[in-house]
Amino acid sequence: MNSIYNLRLNLHALITICFIGLIVNSSFAAGVVQQSHVVGRVSDVRKAPIHGVLVEDVDGSNKTYTDKNGQYSIEVASSTSKLRFSHVAFDSKEVGVGSKTIINLTLAAKKTALNEVVNLNYYNVAKRNTTGALGYMDMESLKLAPVTRFDEALAGRVAGLRVIAPQGQPGDPLAYVVRGENSVQHTQPLLVVDGIPVENHHNLVLNTDDIANLTVLKDASQLALYGSRGGNGVILIETNKGFAGKSSIKFNSFLGFQNIAKQMDMMSPYEFVRYQIELDPEHTKPMYTPADLIPGSVGYDSQGRVLMNYKDIDGIDWQDEVFRNALIQRYSLSLSGGDANTKFVSSTSFSDQKGVLMNSGAKTYQGRVNLTQRIGRFINSGFGINYGKRPRNGQLLNFEEAVDLSTYSLYRMWGARPVSGDNNIDILTPFLDPDYNKAPQIKYNPVVSLENEQKKRANSNLLSHIYLDFDILPNLKAKAQGSFLSDMVDGTGFYNTKTPSGSGANGVNGTSYYSKTRQSTLDFMLSYNEVFKRDHTLDVQGGYSYNKGVTEAYAFDVTHLPNEGIGEHGFDEGLPVYTLSKKWDDRYSSFYLRGGYNFRYKYFLSGVLRGDEVIGNKFVYSPAIALSWDMKNEDFLRNSKTISSSKLRASYGRSGIRMMNSLTPVFATNIIAPEGTLWEAVDQLDIGYDLGLWGDRLIVNLDYYDKVNSADSRFYSAARIENRGIEIGLTSVNINRPNLKWRSHFNISFNRNRVLSVHDRSPTMSSMFISDSPLYTVVPGKALAMFYGYQFDGVYQVEDFDENNGVYTLKSDISGNGSFRANIQPGDIRYVDQNSDGFIDEEDQVTLGSSMPKYFGGFNNSVNYKSFDLNIFFQWSYGNKVFNGNRMAFEGNYLQQTGLNQYASYQERWTPENRSQTLFRTGGQGEAGMLSDRTLEDGSYLRLKTVSLGYTLPKKWLKVKSVKDLRLSCSAQNLLTFTKYKGMDPEVSVGHSILTQGFDYGAYPQFRTVSFGLNATF
């Protein structure tokens, strides 16, 4: 091809020279200077032709563009003219014409982020030429975080992507939300790993060092390609591939320590005993202060303690007993290389994270192989497999199989009394507190119970794919890919006689569960690219996909195990109380068609249509269209030295949310799920603007979106939901010198979630285990997961009562609090009487606030100075509410449990001497279970998420020739948090459902990590 092209070009040039010679001779004869003609070819550094290069005569008015082969032809004013070659993706050049009639030129690509090519699974495109809204992860910065899983460092790094930690235990899954919650059923985006769709990312085990690119697809023009699985967004993960060249070995590791970022201040022994005396003086005084009793009364002991003695007793800090400094370590090893035809990469990794809560932690084992092979001139093939396993052990924290509130780990820890009433009573080692060992006031030793609870779970995940690429024609390619996914989850729980569950009426008991999902996918794709008449570029993709999935689940619970010594191996000897054995089949086919067109790389148009089989032969369709205008290629901006890129884009379309019935029902809601496949459509409008300044040293990305779902009417209480928002991203190169570089990335996302309508078959209310009263509601005009309850109105004061001989009676014009009016006393809790009827009842419940943030984002800075590198990353969330359920139990003791310690803040409760307006008196909690905004707090926070400092040793120090690079580092995670939230950490949501977000009760504590790392390349 090249020889034919060169021959043709030389003949063309020869003819042109002869023609020009004739013209010149005749011109001289006439005494007039004529134009000259120049032809040539423009290519990149790899000798590939560049289409769309502007070639213009600097001294004249003529200009042209290179065609698809990089060729051009232009008339110039004279031999003294200069030709300027410019393209938005390449550095410009000027060349003097002189006597040359053939000018072949090589242009170097501009080193800017917008010129990078991104793999969107179905097609590749330069970031500069995209028509949709995409979020790009800076993997280089993310990998600096000392975490064992990539998603633990995702929060705040991509505009529009919110990451939630529902549970927080090591190894527990995280929840992702892209551009707000679209459904009351399912909000998880689809993950696509090297072309393999992963719908349940909870079991996904990947090596962070293997991830080359992570891209978030957000608008309809991109999501429609994924049809009924794209409605909640799509996260594309592309792993590392081999390369042609000398093989390379990379070893990355870190070793660190974790400790909890915050402990709760608890009552001292003195304050605890004083509170217990107020709560239950009849039983407390003989137990703790027998010397304060009247001589001769029951329990009086002149040798015993008085209240003031407890000021000199340190007591037990149960948080110090339960929490620990925990080790975290991670190691990764990879080998990659290849030649022009064969490229390979293999890797393995191991991590071990001990939990800061005793008897908790997680490990990860992972291995991966990827191979690409060129077969002849027209076929490329590839194969990849990744296997990972994550065993973990944890504790009962909340929302799990529990006898009562005392079963939960942190409840036992905070509630344990710091001191006994007698030096001879040991409360540190026995399983049951000697003074509180009878129902209903049983107190379990938090340390002993944690040591004996066995709650194990292991996730394993296999991803594999194989593909063939065919170059049918220069502009026509075909691809066939087969992929297989296997997820397995198995877990056991065993509770012996030294656990709250195993010491109850059911005796020693246990649970076992196992589930396995196998998913096979076949994809066939065609792609066609063509340039017409130099100015018109067309690319078309079409394909067919077949998916088959099978899920099996088995579970059983057993009680009254006779032989606790053999643990889970004796389950067959127990009494079965629950069994599960089910199987789900899911198979469907899909097709898609996508087309993209641009004119002179100025005006872009793309369209998508995908059809997915839902039930039988019934298809649902996902169409989308996108437009963009690259103003930089217009004459009025082409030569601007300030504006390096300027693009306006818009898209509109539909994608969907496709679900099979979940193994786990939505907790504590009255939503009823029908059998079979469920479908919800999501329609979305996106308008965006991308601006690059000063050679893309500053890049601004703005997006406005409006999306509305169409709920599946087969759901009771299904809701039609709208999400509107604005996303802002700023990327800057602040300093770019040989020895000093500083770059920053800032993003912020505003989202307004609003329920448009609710299915009218029944109201949607959600309650929590701390009370039978509803805490959440779904109301048209409000956001999902709105908190619902009574409005706290402070504390009744003496002035609110009529007093007669020391007896206080609530004034007639003062509303009650839900208790009998005769029982209400100064210092009791008070609620707002919304309807002014003088009574507090269900009619006075109102929406109290939203669990969703008004905005969230992140700010990342990377600085390189000579051999040092520094990375600092801040993450924040603003405007969301968190219901601090812990304060219900430990800042007022709403169930009036005796022997239960309280937070130190409750020392400031109402007394006749300290007339608090915020903390009710002992016993002044009113009717138990009435939920109010007294414990609803501002969940906003600013967190110094990651700090990393590294030093790369100069090569002259590396005496071993095989060592190419050696980097030492120190990193910290969750270093500082600035918040008004009174609990352990504001980034909490243990409700385990979309409708119960922002609830905190016994959540696993946020921990701070400091680590030391070693990275070596051989």
Side-chain angles (χ1 to χ4, degrees), residues 658-868:
R658 182 183 189 277
M659 297 166 287
M660 295 297 290
N661 268 351
S662 174
L663 299 181
T664 305
V666 178
F667 182 88
T669 67
N670 56 2
I671 290 176
I672 302 174
E675 294 292 333
T677 306
L678 312 176
W679 158 257
E680 294 188 56
V682 180
D683 298 323
Q684 182 176 188
L685 167 71
D686 183 278
I687 300 174
Y689 178 63
D690 304 318
L691 174 67
L693 301 174
W694 305 295
D696 291 343
R697 289 192 63 166
L698 175 62
I699 298 174
V700 182
N701 306 111
L702 304 173
D703 275 279
Y704 165 81
Y705 61 87
D706 186 348
K707 60 178 182 175
V708 179
N709 79 319
S710 300
D712 194 316
S713 61
R714 291 175 294 159
F715 268 116
Y716 287 79
S717 304
R720 189 164 178 260
I721 305 163
E722 177 188 63
N723 285 277
R724 287 183 179 179
I726 296 174
E727 297 167 354
I728 302 172
L730 301 173
T731 303
S732 63
V733 179
N734 307 311
I735 299 176
N736 189 23
R737 297 174 182 171
N739 289 328
L740 179 61
K741 301 181 186 299
W742 173 22
R743 58 188 177 91
S744 302
H745 176 72
F746 170 89
N747 74 84
I748 188 168
S749 304
F750 302 83
N751 184 74
R752 190 190 72 167
N753 178 279
R754 186 164 63 104
V755 176
L756 300 180
S757 62
V758 180
H759 203 286
D760 60 1
R761 300 188 198 185
S762 62
T764 301
M765 297 288 184
S766 304
S767 60
M768 311 301 284
F769 60 85
I770 60 172
S771 172
D772 293 331
S773 298
L775 180 60
Y776 295 88
T777 185
V778 176
V779 181
K782 303 283 187 178
L784 277 175
M786 288 294 294
F787 288 105
Y788 183 76
Y790 299 96
Q791 190 173 353
F792 178 63
D793 196 27
V795 175
Y796 288 109
Q797 301 299 321
V798 173
E799 294 77 14
D800 299 321
F801 295 80
D802 294 321
E803 188 266 339
N804 184 13
N805 295 324
V807 176
Y808 290 90
T809 304
L810 190 64
K811 292 180 179 179
S812 59
D813 60 340
I814 303 294
S815 299
N817 66 359
S819 302
F820 290 113
R821 291 183 67 88
N823 294 336
I824 301 175
Q825 295 295 303
D828 285 2
I829 194 169
R830 182 174 180 172
Y831 303 109
V832 174
D833 183 6
Q834 302 290 344
N835 57 8
S836 302
D837 63 357
F839 302 96
I840 298 297
D841 53 26
E842 293 181 355
E843 298 299 320
D844 296 300
Q845 293 175 301
V846 294
T847 55
L848 301 174
S850 175
S851 61
M852 299 179 184
K854 294 179 180 178
Y855 62 83
F856 60 92
F859 183 38
N860 188 68
N861 284 272
S862 297
V863 179
N864 295 81
Y865 175 68
K866 294 184 177 180
S867 296
F868 290 93

Side-chain angles (χ1 to χ4, degrees), residues 129 160 462 476 542 549 555 599 634 758 769 821 856 887 894 917:
N129 297 330
L462 174 69
L476 180 64
F599 175 71
E634 297 287 3
V758 180
F769 60 85
R821 291 183 67 88
F856 60 92
R887 289 176 57 199
Y894 77 115
Q917 292 283 355

